[in-house]
Amino acid sequence: MREPMNVAVLLSAGHHPVSGRACPVPVEMQAIGLGNALGAEMTGLHAGPASETIADALGHGLARLVHLKIGEADDPLASLIAALGTEKSALVLAGRVGQGGEDSGLLPYALARALGLPVVPDASALREGPEPSTLLVEQALPRGARRRLMVRLPALVTVHPAAPAPLPFAYAARRRGVVEERAGIASPRGERAIEERAYRPRPKLIAKSAAGASAAERLKAATEAASGGGRVLVDPPPEEAAREILAHLRDIGVLRG
Amino acid sequence: MTEAAFSLSLAILALAAIAAVMAGGRARLWRAGRPAKVDWMRGLMALPKRYLVDVHHVVGRDPYAARMHALAAGGLLGGSALALLALLPPLGGSRLFWALVALAFAVALAGGFMVGRRRYPERPARLSGGKFQRLPFLLAAYAGGAFLVALDAALAGSVWPLAWPGLWLAAAGGLGLAMQLDRGPMRHAFAGALHLVAHPRAARFEGRRETALAPLNLEAPRLGVATPADFAWNRLAGFDACIQCGRCEVACPAFAAGQPLNPKRLIQDLATSMVPGATNVAYAGSPYPHAREVAGIGGPDLPIVGAGAMIHPDTLWSCTTCRACVEECPMMIEHVDAIVALRRFQTLELGALPEKAAAPLAELRYADEPQGRPLAARTDFAAGLDLPLISARAGAEVLLWLGEGAYDLRYGRTLRALVRLLHLAGVDFAVLGEEERDCGDIARRLGDEATFQRLARANIATLARHSFRRILTPDPHALHVLRNEYPALGGIYEVVHHSAFLDELVAEGRLGVAPLKASVTYHDPCYLGRYNGEIDAPRRLLDRLGLARLEMERSGRRSMCCGGGGGAPLSDIEGERRIPDIRMDQAAQTGAGIVAVACPQCTAMLEGVTGTRPEVRDIAELVLEAVEAMPARAREPAT
């Protein structure tokens, strides 16, 4: 029997997409569910101003929540880096993107860079790895495809909405749960030149088939182009893999010569 | 007095003592339950009326059972009491008195015979077997034996060769009845009497509507019911009152649809689980259909619900809260209260809801609407109609509460008809628009009392900001919650259902109607009929429209649920058939071309039935059709 893993779940202050009210981010509640399924000892981490609904995560199967208090204009990154430095978590779970905030999905990457952790995005299932300090991650890829990876811990894993549904909310569990309030690190966001623009739908890139091709060929070209192309190599020798990658990069014009 | 007769009186005295000990032992189990406020004096005073009127009103729906019970219970209690009185010398010495005793026991014997004839040669499926199959023999032995002894005493000992075997027979039968008083069929007698006295909803005997769920104190250390000890003691007594007559199982829509719920078995499981070291093996009635595997063990402080306990969670979530079982129960047991109490623990403490029911509750928490739709879209159905907003004016005579049905395309037709009728009749009305939140009915029935109370308080605060005289709603679920459940949280309103309101308008001549030529059968919504007793107004209204009205086999207060209540469509527990299919079959059997409905849930459920079937029309749609059938000039209300 291995010791329960120490897992930190990053929680953000979300907003309901319809009502606009403060609400937990579903994918983060799914992250709690994945951590619970691992039998891990979990700590929720939130850096931000006071919020009523952050504690709602306690109703979804989280026993402990650390709230790092910072101001409205502060960047949570510094506080999270400091807190994760002391928490010594083997695994950090985050949602792939927040809901109702900036929703850039960048924070996990910035955090992983600062902590020197590998990032595995879009997990839909987690299992203990075959060796100690490893984790098997099932990654959700487009069109329902799944990829299984083994990562060495510590690592940061972001969770995809394709993960199992979160545990239903239990009012009494929220009432019982503990929120530890700590002072975060004030770190005013720098003046970032973020330009806001109205959303513009982009045209979908469809491969063109030769003029005069049959309808079936045009359909094939239109549907196959989006499926990625390329080849799947299973356990190739490193040299062959490198050659393939270079060839592909030359094919698509990233590398020249 | 003959020696045998004197011995009989002594034997009955001893039996009474044994019975008292057995009953006392059982009653001690109830002390595990939580305390309950009981008005003992009032309950005791009212017992004869509650028993002879309220109970027998229900029992009398099965005339054979009523006669059987009157003879068996009356004869048994009367004979035994008289035989005890015979210990007083002047009475015991009277041959005439013993003739009276013999007569009482003869009556009991006839009752015992009727009990037997009902169970042999073939036992109806709804009745339990096991100890219940031995009951007629014990009754016959006790009553028959005592009859022989009393007859001998009345004839001054002239048939003494019959008296002594009679005495032994009576003693054996009586002992059989008394010894199993704690677990056998006779438990219903003392537990039932006490339940009538200490009933948790005493007001239902005084003709009041007693269907609102009681608010839960959200500060309590444990929310809802996990173990038998979490029930109030008088609820435990109520479970023990069950006589396993199976009327509830016949009425239960989930049972009929093959979902794993049988109200009788549920009550038996609850009654069994209050015994230390309980198992469910002694139960001999029909099982839960497609019963999910459970361990079948329990105890006063052990969990009731779970695969390792007595009751499988699927059983709880199959209930539509239609109250048909409560309506049919001659022992006045409150099944739905028990189910909701158990659900509250599952939802609030464990978060153990059916997966599909969790999402709507989450949307209710953060968007005040079970499907997460914008509140402002509630009035979209009325595009092109004049739908006044109450916030845009000083107030209105009538506040129209739209309910969740407003988002449904099919039900939008009904609401459009209703709005048009209100305009035609010149009613001063308005809607809340985006200020209207969900009323909280679904949250409450699914056990999420916290969300219900939050929504209720928010709605009460909203309603307090506006001035209106009464609330009109076409949704019986909203009606029940607003009318009966908000008062406990401080919101007291006059709420009227659209069937009653349209009936008023037509009666007052504010809506002129031309007779429609069609045959119609009316499907009573549970929350209007059983929960609120409104079964006449919709029928009166249909009659005013000149429709040929046919009644279904089950109608009025004994109507069958459409399957849409209690969050059952959300929890969606698998069965053999769908409840609305069963109900639609009953409607089709009347031969009517139209099923008239008066509830958005019923509309959705019955419209979902496939195949050839009667057309589903809301009462408002029928009224509008009748109004439009009037020549245009005559349609104008008299001014």
Side-chain angles (χ1 to χ4, degrees):
Chain A
M1 203 43 218
R2 286 185 213 170
E3 251 178 60
M5 198 191 295
N6 208 344
V7 174
V9 182
L10 306 185
L11 301 170
S12 61
H15 291 272
H16 191 274
V18 172
S19 72
R21 290 219 313 257
C23 105
V25 180
V27 74
E28 291 167 3
M29 302 305 108
Q30 290 174 290
I32 296 173
L34 287 184
N36 271 334
L38 281 176
E41 231 168 69
M42 293 206 293
T43 304
L45 268 183
H46 172 69
S51 155
E52 265 296 295
T53 51
I54 285 300
D56 282 5
L58 296 167
H60 288 280
L62 191 68
R64 175 172 171 254
L65 173 60
V66 177
H67 184 179
L68 308 163
K69 286 207 146 172
I70 52 172
E72 192 78 55
D74 283 332
D75 189 341
L77 188 62
S79 306
L80 290 175
I81 291 169
L84 284 169
T86 56
E87 285 283 334
K88 299 269 176 280
S89 306
L91 176 65
V92 181
L93 292 174
R96 79 190 298 269
V97 66
Q99 178 179 287
E102 221 167 64
D103 294 2
S104 66
L106 275 178
L107 183 110
Y109 292 90
L111 193 60
R113 185 168 65 181
L115 294 171
L117 294 178
V119 181
V120 183
D122 294 345
S124 57
L126 299 179
R127 265 190 300 134
E128 263 183 30
E131 297 160 37
S133 294
T134 58
L135 185 71
L136 284 175
V137 182
E138 196 180 275
Q139 245 183 340
L141 302 177
R143 300 176 173 234
R146 295 286 184 274
R147 174 162 57 199
R148 200 161 293 142
L149 304 168
M150 192 182 79
V151 280
R152 208 159 281 286
L153 298 175
L156 190 151
V157 174
T158 71
V159 175
H160 191 270
L167 289 175
F169 179 77
Y171 177 82
R174 183 206 192 277
R175 201 176 56 164
R176 273 193 302 270
V178 192
V179 182
E180 279 176 46
E181 299 212 336
R182 294 188 203 157
I185 298 170
S187 100
R189 276 177 232 260
E191 278 299 307
R192 277 178 300 175
I194 293 177
E195 183 192 352
E196 265 190 30
R197 273 188 235 149
Y199 172 73
R200 177 171 64 87
R202 311 274 157 147
K204 207 171 165 185
L205 292 177
I206 297 174
K208 287 206 176 64
S209 58
S214 73
E217 279 166 348
R218 275 183 282 129
L219 178 70
K220 195 158 169 262
T223 49
E224 279 195 348
S227 62
R231 288 198 296 142
V232 176
L233 300 175
V234 179
D235 277 343
E239 292 80 10
E240 192 192 335
R243 263 198 306 280
E244 282 294 329
I245 292 169
L246 286 170
H248 179 68
L249 292 178
R250 277 192 193 98
D251 275 357
I252 61 174
V254 174
L255 286 181
R256 293 214 177 101
Chain B
M1 178 163 39
T2 62
E3 248 177 78
F6 184 66
S7 309
L8 178 73
S9 295
L10 287 181
I12 291 176
L13 192 62
L15 289 171
I18 293 173
V21 170
M22 301 306 288
R26 187 74 195 183
R28 250 200 305 281
L29 294 177
W30 305 336
R31 296 185 55 191
R34 287 189 294 100
K37 243 196 255 160
V38 172
D39 190 344
W40 285 103
M41 265 323 284
R42 196 189 177 121
L44 281 168
M45 299 288 286
L47 177 63
K49 184 251 165 194
R50 291 179 186 177
Y51 177 65
L52 294 170
V53 179
D54 297 299
V55 169
H56 270 270
H57 172 71
V58 181
V59 178
R61 291 174 193 164
D62 178 353
Y64 182 90
R67 275 197 297 276
M68 174 193 88
H69 191 259
L71 292 179
L76 203 72
L77 288 177
S80 305
L82 289 175
L84 279 178
L85 282 178
L87 287 171
L88 304 172
L91 291 177
S94 156
R95 283 171 57 192
L96 193 66
F97 185 77
W98 279 103
L100 195 64
V101 177
L103 179 69
F105 279 114
V107 166
L109 186 62
F113 177 74
M114 286 183 81
V115 174
R117 211 184 66 182
R118 189 160 79 134
R119 295 180 168 272
Y120 292 97
E122 207 173 323
R123 169 170 62 89
R126 71 174 167 98
L127 297 178
S128 290
K131 283 179 178 157
F132 283 84
Q133 287 300 85
R134 294 200 288 277
L135 180 65
F137 301 110
L138 294 175
L139 284 174
Y142 178 63
F147 167 72
L148 291 176
V149 177
L151 184 71
D152 176 52
L155 300 175
S158 55
V159 288
W160 61 268
L162 287 178
W164 287 104
L167 179 64
W168 284 110
L169 200 60
L175 202 62
L177 291 175
M179 285 303 284
Q180 47 157 292
L181 196 67
D182 60 337
R183 295 185 186 199
M186 295 310 286
R187 182 173 75 199
H188 83 282
F190 79 94
L194 198 77
H195 184 229
L196 285 182
V197 173
H199 198 280
R201 288 181 178 273
R204 65 181 272 189
F205 302 112
E206 284 146 31
R208 269 186 281 154
R209 234 177 3 247
E210 251 298 339
T211 50
L213 292 172
L216 184 67
N217 173 16
L218 292 171
E219 307 296 319
R222 181 185 266 177
L223 304 175
V225 167
T227 69
D230 293 335
F231 277 114
W233 74 265
N234 53 355
R235 302 268 176 192
L236 296 179
F239 304 147
D240 270 354
C242 174
I243 182 60
Q244 305 195 30
C245 65
R247 295 173 190 227
C248 52
E249 109 181 16
V250 174
C252 178
F255 182 83
Q259 289 173 279
L261 171 61
N262 175 350
K264 170 170 119 178
R265 166 116 225 211
L266 179 94
I267 295 301
Q268 282 311 306
D269 280 347
L270 290 171
T272 307
S273 62
M274 68 179 91
V275 185
T279 70
N280 62 4
V281 289
Y283 177 74
S286 14
Y288 296 120
H290 301 281
R292 320 297 199 234
E293 197 76 34
V294 288
I297 48 172
D301 294 306
L302 292 178
I304 298 170
V305 176
M310 265 305 166
I311 296 171
H312 194 277
D314 283 3
T315 297
L316 284 190
W317 301 111
S318 297
C319 177
T320 66
T321 69
C322 74
R323 276 183 83 83
C325 48
V326 183
E327 185 68 28
E328 292 300 317
C329 182
M331 303 309 293
M332 307 286 161
I333 300 170
E334 293 281 345
H335 312 61
V336 176
D337 286 351
I339 285 179
V340 172
L342 291 166
R343 281 184 179 184
R344 282 174 173 173
F345 180 80
Q346 296 295 308
T347 302
L348 296 172
E349 289 280 350
L350 304 181
L353 279 120
E355 206 174 301
K356 284 181 234 174
L361 290 185
E363 296 292 1
L364 276 175
R365 262 198 314 285
Y366 303 113
D368 298 338
E369 206 290 311
Q371 306 302 324
R373 291 166 293 210
L375 296 181
R378 195 187 298 274
T379 49
D380 284 1
F381 74 92
L385 282 180
D386 177 21
L387 193 62
L389 276 179
I390 200 160
S391 53
R393 40 194 286 176
E397 170 84 6
V398 170
L399 176 73
L400 176 60
W401 186 277
L402 296 168
E404 200 199 337
Y407 291 97
D408 182 64
L409 280 179
R410 162 66 184 90
Y411 197 70
R413 287 212 314 263
T414 300
L415 288 175
R416 289 175 68 86
L418 180 61
V419 168
R420 286 196 53 201
L421 287 170
L422 295 177
H423 281 305
L424 284 172
V427 176
D428 172 30
F429 78 102
V431 297
L432 284 171
E434 63 178 318
E435 287 181 83
E436 179 184 327
R437 297 175 174 85
D438 187 84
C439 64
D441 165 70
I442 284 189
R444 187 166 232 199
R445 314 297 140 189
L446 286 173
D448 189 351
E449 182 73 5
T451 300
F452 166 75
Q453 289 190 13
R454 187 187 64 76
L455 286 169
R457 294 213 160 87
N459 278 324
I460 290 169
T462 302
L463 291 170
R465 282 201 304 274
H466 300 293
S467 111
F468 53 87
R469 200 170 70 75
R470 52 183 180 166
I471 300 177
L472 165 69
T473 181
D475 183 345
H477 297 262
L479 170 114
H480 172 65
V481 167
L482 290 167
R483 180 193 276 173
N484 302 325
E485 297 192 337
Y486 278 17
L489 300 169
I492 297 165
Y493 313 105
E494 187 188 338
V495 190
V496 56
H497 187 248
H498 76 310
S499 59
F501 192 78
L502 291 174
D503 181 50
E504 271 173 41
L505 293 181
V506 176
E508 288 167 9
R510 290 169 73 182
L511 286 172
V513 290
L516 298 176
K517 282 186 189 54
S519 60
V520 64
T521 182
Y522 174 63
H523 164 77
D524 288 271
C526 305
Y527 277 71
L528 191 65
R530 260 192 298 276
Y531 274 76
N532 283 286
E534 294 191 19
I535 53 178
D536 297 328
R539 290 183 166 76
R540 214 163 41 225
L541 180 57
L542 290 172
D543 291 345
R544 287 189 210 282
L545 304 184
L547 291 159
R549 185 162 55 78
L550 303 159
E551 286 294 352
M552 281 186 256
E553 186 187 314
R554 290 177 60 181
S555 64
R557 293 182 65 102
R558 303 182 72 190
S559 173
M560 184 179 160
C561 178
C562 69
L570 296 177
S571 34
D572 196 19
I573 302 298
E574 197 189 335
E576 268 164 53
R577 295 189 70 190
R578 293 177 67 249
I579 298 171
D581 292 352
I582 301 174
R583 186 57 173 164
M584 190 54 97
D585 281 352
Q586 295 171 359
Q589 268 168 24
T590 62
I594 296 172
V595 195
V597 290
C599 166
Q601 300 283 348
C602 301
T603 309
M605 297 307 282
L606 294 177
E607 281 283 19
V609 176
T610 56
T612 316
R613 57 161 171 81
E615 202 186 340
V616 178
R617 302 286 297 277
D618 191 275
I619 282 192
E621 296 171 326
L622 293 171
V623 174
L624 183 63
E625 195 182 318
V627 169
E628 285 177 339
M630 278 289 273
R633 215 171 312 146
R635 204 191 295 162
E636 296 297 316
T639 43

